[in-house]
Structures are given as structure tokens and as C-alpha cells.
Amino acid sequence: MNKELIINAAPQGVEIALLEDKKLVELHHEKADASFAVGDLYLGKVKKLIPGLNAAFVDVGFEKDAFLHYTDLSPYARSLLKFTQQAINDHSEKDFDFGTFQVEPEIIKTGKINEVLSGKPNILVQILKEPIAAKGPRLSCEISLPGRFVVITPFNDIVAVSRKIHSADERKRLQKIVEAIKPKNFGVIVRTAAEGKNTAELHEDLSMLVETWKAIQHNLKGSVAPAKILSEQTKTTSILRDLLNEDFNKIVINDRNIYNDTRSYIQRIAPEKADIVAFYHNGLPIFDQFGITKQVKAAFGKTVNLPSGAYLIIEHTEALHVIDVNSGYKSVGNNQELNALETNLEAAAEISRQLRLRDLGGIIVVDFIDMKLPDNKRKLLEAMEEFMKPDRAKHAVLPISKFGIMQITRQRMKPEMNINTQEVCPTCAGTGKISSTLLLEDEIEKNMSYLITHQHKDLTLVVHPIMYAYLTKGGWLFRSQQWKWRMKYGQKIKISENTNYHLTEFHFFDKHEEEIKL
């Protein structure tokens, strides 16, 4: 599979498109004034404790207080509170050594929020979910800093290896290496990308993350809540960090600064891949050049057409997303069950892409075309699970119910991507109604009278072909409107047609074929 990252920088922000075999599968938009993104760290002030919900509302500077549930507090919440206060009040020139920090006992899983956050203290929090609709951000106190090969989690002092690394020997090797190089008071999770990496590569990644934690500690010094302490990396580098592998063969960027940053970042994390970064400076917009604009227009909207003639209807409600699969004019043969299976498999591939592309989260209900054979239902479930594998968001797919419905849950981290693919009709301005031809005729005549009164001669009126036919129709007995105007104003009025005009559009031109502005 060929992966390409196309990055379009504009004044309002940066758009990032991920293509897999030339097909658009992810679209990210990073606003120029982006804040409260997943992974950002803030110093927050606890404003209100809600014992009934076992949660707290925390002021992090957003217009609505952020939500922090007890289950997101982290077992090391007391250590985090102690560290936050110690870092804020640290007035020494050199920051205190985190390796000597005394970790507090863990909190119990079934505890109460007011036992841990009594006194409404300041606390270091990480954005778990971006603000969505009327809700403020969702917070976590389980601070984690992701790198290319490892993730560090302060205070817990354990080493865990990704379960996606299947070789027991490789898991033991990585465990031993990390235990040997891990600083005190840090837990380390070894990512799947670490498979086969040597000690030097893992140590460099770990050291970089430890330096980031030191920067957080330094930024807390003297801070007053609410305050941003550290931003997650830009979307470009975070996508590269999580996705960059041997399948990537092109990264194209139209901004010199982002190009330089991206190239130096790749030079650092994967030097052998540095040559895949290219700077784009042709005249055509970068998204047009790579066919992304057209794919965006085709993929977003209520109806999504599939190559075979089948189509999807995607509806959004407050509680869930509903996707309906329709066969359209698709016909594979006389076997109805085979038709249904083939259409459903094609739809499943597109649905998995749509979930990533639009970043749909929560509950997704899919109404597939009914199939009778249990074997076919199982094939569809297995295919959907396979199509969903590249999706980085946590998800679960349930078997098809007896009503032919498949339920999918997908992690919601940020607001869904919603792009309007329709344009307002220039003729009716979106109302669905246009002026009567008779009224349009009166408007044309009013403007014509004004121009003739102001000594304009040899006028040419250009209109839409349908209007042209209406104004010039008529024979000897039934005079055309053009003839009537000639008799009324005592001069010849030339009328011509232009297929590019919309139905009610008209313009006047002088004898030099220059438009007369009214």
C-alpha cells in the first residue's frame, strides 16, 4: 500500500490529507489559533465538585469548564497534585530533580472525587477530548507523553510492551532494554513501532520525552491557573509519529517553513525516509493537483455514490450516526443473495473509509441490505473488522442483528469533520423559486429605458438562451418583444445569448462590446 501525505498551508490554518493508494482516507484541519487539542497540557483550577457524578468541573481557560471524572484521575492523582504545587512554588534557578520526587500512595478505584480534590486545588491536566458541540473539553490526569517508539507515564515506574508485538522473545528483549535505560519515577509503554529497534534508538526517543517532561516542570514554575503548559506536537508531526512506516512514499508540502520542520523531524526519527519530503510550488492549488478537492466534494454530503451504482445515505442525529446501504442500479446477476453480499462488501469498505475521513464517533448504526444466509452475515462482519484495522481510533464492531443492522462504536476524540459540498444556486439564492419571466422582462426594460435616456446607442442585450428565445419569438402578426422595444425607443436593440449565464442573468454591452455597468 502506498501512503502519501499532502499538506496545504493557508492563512486560516493547515489542511492535511492522507492518501492510501491515491484514495483519500483521512483529512485533518489544524486551525492557526488551535487550542484545547487532544494531548495538550494545562494547569487547571478545580471550580466545582459534583459528588453525584463523582466528577469535577475544571477551569482551563475555555468558555465552558472542562469535565474531569474520577475514573480519569489516574491512580497517582495525589502524586500529580503534590508535583503540581511543588513545581509552581519552586523558585530555585535550577528545577528540582524529578528522580528524587517522593511518589504518594495510589488512590483507590472506588473512591470519591471530593476526597482527592478537596480544597479545589490547581492541577496539571491533559486534554482527553476536544470541546464537542455544547460540551467543554474532557480531561485526564493520567499524563502520557507519546514518542515514536515509547510512551512515558510519570509517577508509575512500570514497563509494559505492546501486545501487538507477538514474538515472546522480542517482547522480553524490549522489556530488558527499557528497564535498563528507564529513569526513576517514569513508567514506559513500548509501542509496536519499537519492534526490532536497538538500544540507542529507544534511548534517544526516551531521552527526548524526559526532556519534554522537564520542560513541563519548568513551565509550571510560577504559573497561575488557567494556563497552557505544553502543546501537543503539530498535527503533521503527530501523524508522522504514529503512521510513518515503510509504506509511506511521499510527503508533499506547499509551505517552506512546514517543509523544513517536517524534513528535520523525519531526519531525526527516520533518516532513511528524509528524501520522501517534497516542496510543492507549482501554480495549481496543491489539493487540486493531487485530486483531493474532487474527492472531498464526492465523499462528504448526505449521499455517497459507490462505483458499482450502489450508494450510502449518511444521517447524523444527536445520539448517533445512521448509515443506510442502497443497491441503486447495481446488478451482478439473478442471485439476490449474491447481489446483496457483493453490495454490502463494497459498502463496508466505503463505510470504514467514511468513518476515518469524517472522524465519526460514538454509536454508528449501519442498515445493510438484508441477507438470509448466516455464512454471508459472518463474511460481512469479518470483512468490516478487516477494513477497520487501519483505523487508529478505538472501535468495536458487533455482529449483524436479526434485523440486518450492524452496530459500531468508535472513539470520539474531537468534533466530526463536516464539509458543505453544495453551493447556493445563483439564480434562486437557495430559495428554490425565481422571478416570473414577465417581471424579468419589466426589469430589463426599465434598465434599457434608463440607458437610452442617457444617450446610449447600439445596445446589445445578452441573456440566457431560454430568455433569448422568449424575447425574440414571434412572427409578422405576433410581434416579438425585441420588435416592440425597437418601435417604442426608435432604435434597434440587438439581443444575443450566452449559455454560461444563469436563467435570470442579463447584461448590456455598447457598440465596442464593452459591458455597461448599471
Side-chain angles (χ1 to χ4, degrees), residues 73-88 96 98 100-108 115-117 121-125 141-143 153-157 184-186 213 217 220:
L73 265 186
S74 154
Y76 303 95
R78 288 200 173 93
S79 299
L80 183 65
L81 283 165
K82 178 181 167 185
F83 168 79
T84 305
Q85 291 308 314
Q86 199 170 323
I88 290 171
F96 68 86
F98 185 66
T100 62
F101 180 82
Q102 290 298 309
V103 175
E104 296 294 306
E106 294 183 23
I107 63 171
I108 57 172
E115 293 170 1
V116 181
L117 298 181
N122 292 337
I123 188 167
L124 183 66
V125 289
C141 289
E142 297 201 55
I143 308 297
T153 53
F155 311 112
N156 69 2
D157 225 359
K184 193 172 183 303
N185 284 340
F186 285 106
W213 180 250
Q217 185 179 328
L220 277 170

Side-chain angles (χ1 to χ4, degrees), residues 29-37 40 42 228 231 235:
H29 188 242
E30 186 177 17
K31 292 180 181 173
D33 59 346
S35 55
F36 305 102
D40 284 355
Y42 282 81
K228 183 186 272 195
S231 287
K235 281 258 185 8

